[in-house]
Amino acid sequence: MPYFITTAIAYVNGPPHLGHAYEEIATDVLARHMRQRGEDVFFLTGTDEHGEPVADSAHAQGLEPQAWADQNAARFKELMPTLNISQDFFIRTTDPEHIARVQEVMQRIYDNGYVYKGVYEGWYCPRCADFKTDTDVGEGNTCPIHGIPLTRESEENWFFKLSAFQQQIEQLYAEHPDFVMPARAMNEAQAFLGGGLQDVSLSRSKLKWGVTVPWDQSQVFYVWFDALLNYYTALSYARPGQDLADHYGPAQLHVIGKDILKFHTIFWPAMLMAAGIAPPEHVFVHGFLMGEDGRKMSKSLGNGLDPFEVIEQFGTDALRYYLLREVQFGQDGNVGIKGCTVRYESELANEYGNLASRTIAMIDRYRDGVVPAVATDPALADDFSTLPQDVAALFDRADSTQALELIWQRVRRLNRYAEERQPWQLAKDPDSADQLNQVLASLYEGVRVVSVLLAPYIPASVEKLLAALGAPDSTYAAASFSAAGPLTSGVTVSTLPPLFPKMASDRT
Ligand code: MSP
């Protein structure tokens, strides 16, 4: 089945930060899981390059917006292999194909009668590139998100008849109670809708850095109308000569942060309806990462977690694992280098890495590296029997954190099993050879299964480990624990250097 999944596209008014890395990683985990299950995944990400915030920050650097956008978009693109993101396409909203397609769709919305001319006046935040409703204005007319003073703006521009979609969106929500996930985010979207939809201005006359309105060359589209359409336009040119829109569109899942909920849960379906295009299936709203002290990360407080520092010290898989494990996906969470170090050492290095190396080392030492061809321990097999289905059910709700918890419970179970059965003792007694075979086969099978299920989270480590186990299949079908004994019985394992080596400071 086609499975189209997207991240928000990031503003290029600066280099990428941890919040961006988090969204990429979390979405990548979902995309990789769906690929494991054999879904025909198309994973889209990219950069949002027009609008006030980018133009303003470019001018502050003494650069033209395009030059500044080019510089920063390149940094976002470079981030993808660094984080091991498996996107199928990276869109830039300055791509000429995107621009042409935005004009085409917006013209359709205009022709369908959902656009009119009006005068807009309101409190405007240049960083949000958004007018604030009266209830949204912070103390002293400041932006509640950025804390900067809002400006009073008034201009004649084009309006989108958002109010015309009140009933259709109410119906969409009623028919699809999980259109927005998790439930708390759905409540927020409902509350916004309950307040009554008001028309919104869709163009700007002052700003020059944007997509020109085709029916009025003196204006450019308000950046959100250009940006949201990336989810539609990208499919038309991601593969030259092919239009993938009929195959993949509309999206199964848009992953976004909580600050842009309104745009994705209200504006976006309304725009699609106005253009005669079907709305997406789900929008998943994740929380914000904060410093370990619970405060917003900032350079001056020194409470930030620098993704590059983590990668340099612990590796990409450790960053991916830590963020998904530490922060319940869909909620805010506090992260920092201390917590990351603890989880790296206690969970990745000790619980998982050691388990894998011990298992391989024991098969090597006691059985010349050959995986014993015997049935696994029924007690252990029972504990794994519903694991793949349970993990998949959680992923169907995008609950990658609880899925990871379930997998990790089995990692711990395997460690307890090794302690209980003490294969190193069994190895001393030739009469216990059968028991030892069973324990080794069971540990092998358990390590293999948890690794297959961990592949979306820590893909590079799992690939190495499964290769060393002589069982490279990482599809979802390979995630069942075989009671009859490892399907790869008889293969020879190869030893492997520690996947998550202890830090240098520990060795002293
Ligand atoms: N350009 C818009 C999105 C347009 S989508 C059609 C935008 N860009 S952004 O660069 O400000 O944010 C990109 C994504 O990163 C958003 O989903 C946002 O919520 C997320 N995050 C930004 N800071 C974050 C944290 N500190 N923590 C987690 N995610 C955060 O909004």
Side-chain angles (χ1 to χ4, degrees):
M1 289 282 282
Y3 190 90
F4 179 32
I5 180 168
T6 69
T7 64
I9 49 172
Y11 286 130
V12 287
N13 52 348
H17 55 65
L18 184 70
H20 297 124
Y22 175 57
E23 189 170 295
E24 292 293 345
I25 291 171
T27 311
D28 187 61
V29 169
L30 302 176
R32 285 178 185 268
H33 171 85
M34 289 303 173
R35 280 195 203 105
Q36 272 191 313
R37 279 163 65 178
E39 304 288 356
D40 170 13
V41 172
F42 193 90
F43 172 13
L44 175 68
T45 190
T47 42
D48 183 359
E49 306 192 7
H50 292 125
E52 217 116 1
V54 176
D56 286 355
S57 59
H59 294 138
Q61 305 287 318
L63 288 173
E64 283 306 311
Q66 185 68 62
W68 179 233
D70 287 346
Q71 243 181 58
N72 284 320
R75 295 157 96 169
F76 276 93
K77 261 192 165 165
E78 283 161 17
L79 182 68
M80 302 300 141
T82 310
L83 300 174
N84 205 355
I85 303 302
S86 62
Q87 83 278 1
D88 294 290
F89 189 58
F90 188 102
I91 188 172
R92 297 184 55 186
T93 56
T94 48
D95 291 341
E97 298 93 332
H98 167 79
I99 293 172
R101 202 82 171 148
V102 166
Q103 289 175 322
E104 207 181 297
V105 179
M106 292 308 293
Q107 181 71 50
R108 219 189 302 168
I109 293 178
Y110 177 88
D111 294 343
N112 288 347
Y114 294 112
V115 176
Y116 63 92
K117 200 164 211 177
V119 173
Y120 195 88
E121 195 190 330
W123 291 108
Y124 182 78
C125 170
R127 294 266 292 281
C128 295
D130 193 13
F131 282 97
K132 300 279 149 189
T133 59
D134 290 344
T135 49
D136 248 4
V137 173
E139 222 170 285
N141 296 326
T142 54
C143 169
I145 297 172
H146 296 104
I148 59 171
L150 300 172
T151 51
R152 194 75 190 162
E153 302 272 344
S154 146
E155 62 173 35
E156 187 172 79
N157 52 34
W158 296 95
F159 276 67
F160 173 54
K161 275 191 202 165
L162 184 63
S163 58
F165 296 93
Q166 177 84 33
Q167 272 174 8
Q168 280 184 66
I169 296 190
E170 280 171 7
Q171 194 183 340
L172 173 74
Y173 286 10
E175 286 170 6
H176 304 276
D178 58 356
F179 175 70
V180 185
M181 300 186 294
R184 193 172 28 84
M186 185 59 175
N187 292 340
E188 201 180 312
Q190 292 272 19
F192 190 84
L193 188 61
L197 298 183
Q198 287 167 22
D199 296 347
V200 287
S201 122
L202 64 68
S203 67
R204 296 286 178 267
S205 64
K206 290 198 186 76
L207 187 69
K208 297 285 162 269
W209 179 236
V211 177
T212 306
V213 174
W215 62 86
D216 176 357
Q217 308 277 320
S218 72
Q219 307 231 353
V220 297
F221 285 112
Y222 169 43
V223 64
W224 274 101
F225 283 84
D226 151 12
L228 286 163
L229 278 169
N230 91 88
Y231 304 129
Y232 181 73
T233 66
L235 294 176
S236 71
Y237 69 97
R239 298 287 174 264
Q242 285 181 54
D243 189 346
L244 304 176
D246 285 342
H247 183 67
Y248 287 110
Q252 267 63 47
L253 189 63
H254 293 302
V255 176
I256 58 158
K258 62 179 185 177
D259 54 332
I260 54 175
L261 176 140
K262 171 184 83 178
F263 297 105
H264 285 81
T265 61
I266 307 274
F267 283 37
W268 177 227
M271 281 169 71
L272 288 169
M273 289 166 181
I277 305 169
E281 279 181 24
H282 305 285
V283 176
F284 186 90
V285 184
H286 65 75
F288 262 48
L289 300 186
M290 330 271 256
E292 232 155 6
D293 53 4
R295 291 200 275 180
K296 194 171 183 293
M297 285 187 203
S298 84
K299 284 214 175 79
S300 54
L301 290 173
N303 63 349
L305 182 68
D306 177 354
F308 299 100
E309 188 189 325
V310 175
I311 289 172
E312 194 167 311
Q313 215 178 325
F314 301 102
T316 298
D317 279 350
L319 176 69
R320 296 173 61 104
Y321 173 81
Y322 173 63
L323 294 178
L324 266 296
R325 181 93 170 118
E326 185 68 39
V327 183
Q328 169 61 47
F329 195 43
Q331 289 174 22
D332 290 346
N334 304 339
V335 292
I337 198 78
K338 262 197 241 146
C340 183
T341 310
V342 170
R343 284 206 191 266
Y344 176 86
E345 292 185 345
S346 64
E347 298 181 0
L348 285 176
N350 287 344
E351 293 178 335
Y352 179 60
N354 268 354
L355 171 73
S357 6
R358 275 160 90 196
T359 302
I360 290 178
M362 289 190 289
I363 295 176
D364 194 39
R365 193 171 323 135
Y366 306 139
R367 292 294 178 263
D368 288 331
V370 179
V371 179
V374 297
T376 49
D377 193 330
L380 202 57
D382 271 0
D383 285 337
F384 278 77
S385 61
T386 60
L387 181 64
Q389 296 89 300
D390 295 347
V391 165
L394 286 163
F395 266 100
D396 287 341
R397 294 189 267 128
D399 196 346
S400 44
T401 307
Q402 285 314 309
L404 182 52
E405 170 59 22
L406 284 193
I407 303 166
W408 215 259
Q409 285 170 4
R410 301 324 190 276
V411 170
R412 293 185 170 151
R413 173 74 182 98
L414 290 166
N415 277 304
R416 281 200 311 275
Y417 180 75
E419 291 310 315
E420 280 158 23
R421 302 301 309 271
Q422 307 250 330
W424 45 92
Q425 295 297 348
L426 297 174
K428 291 181 185 159
D429 175 6
D431 289 345
S432 305
D434 288 349
Q435 282 187 57
L436 180 59
N437 277 339
Q438 188 195 44
V439 174
L440 293 179
S442 304
L443 285 174
Y444 173 92
E445 189 61 358
V447 169
R448 193 189 63 72
V449 166
V450 292
S451 299
V452 169
L453 291 171
L454 285 172
Y457 302 89
I458 49 172
S461 310
V462 164
E463 195 184 333
K464 281 189 223 158
L465 177 53
L466 290 180
L469 292 177
D473 185 359
S474 65
T475 60
Y476 178 72
S480 3
F481 189 100
S482 165
L487 293 177
T488 46
S489 296
V491 303
T492 306
V493 296
S494 28
T495 49
L496 126 134
L499 288 175
F500 302 102
K502 287 284 173 58
M503 292 298 108
S505 57
D506 277 9
R507 285 199 284 265
T508 56

